Amino acid sequence: MGKQKLVKGIIFGGAVIGGLVSLGGDRDTRRYVRSKCQVTKQRAQFYIKNPSDLVRELNQFYQKGSEQLSTGLSQALEILNQLQEMTRKIDKK
């Protein structure tokens, strides 16, 4: 158990050091990360104050994803039906 914690600590530490090195070398990367962090902070603050908006947006996201999945499955089934019909025609010949 102690070895697992040590390995996880080394991996986490390496990830942190790698992230700091990559941020330290490039000014554009630092600006980009800083701006994304600010946007994330603002959105989190908004959703903390307006949880109903979060629920509404999650619901819309879920509905859109469900519709896309349903459409994709319908198209896949149609292709399979066409393939099955073609193989039937080939088998009859």
Side-chain angles (χ1 to χ4, degrees):
M1 184 159 183
K3 290 181 182 180
Q4 289 178 344
K5 287 184 178 181
L6 176 63
V7 171
K8 288 179 184 178
I10 291 171
I11 291 172
F12 180 74
V16 169
I17 290 170
L20 291 174
V21 167
S22 68
L23 287 176
D26 188 15
R27 182 175 297 198
D28 291 334
T29 303
R30 286 193 306 270
R31 286 182 186 156
Y32 176 79
V33 170
R34 188 179 310 124
S35 70
K36 289 296 179 182
C37 286
Q38 288 171 348
V39 168
T40 302
K41 177 184 171 187
Q42 291 169 353
R43 290 185 74 184
Q45 289 173 340
F46 174 80
Y47 288 131
I48 288 170
K49 292 177 183 175
N50 305 293
S52 61
D53 287 338
L54 175 63
V55 172
R56 182 180 46 79
E57 288 183 21
L58 286 173
N59 190 21
Q60 289 173 346
F61 177 77
Y62 173 77
Q63 287 177 347
K64 183 178 179 182
S66 296
E67 290 170 3
Q68 290 175 341
L69 179 62
S70 177
T71 301
L73 290 173
S74 295
Q75 291 172 347
L77 286 173
E78 181 62 30
I79 291 170
L80 287 173
N81 287 334
Q82 291 174 0
L83 183 60
Q84 186 178 26
E85 188 62 34
M86 289 173 63
T87 55
R88 285 183 188 154
K89 289 179 182 178
I90 291 171
D91 288 342
K92 287 183 181 179
K93 291 183 178 182

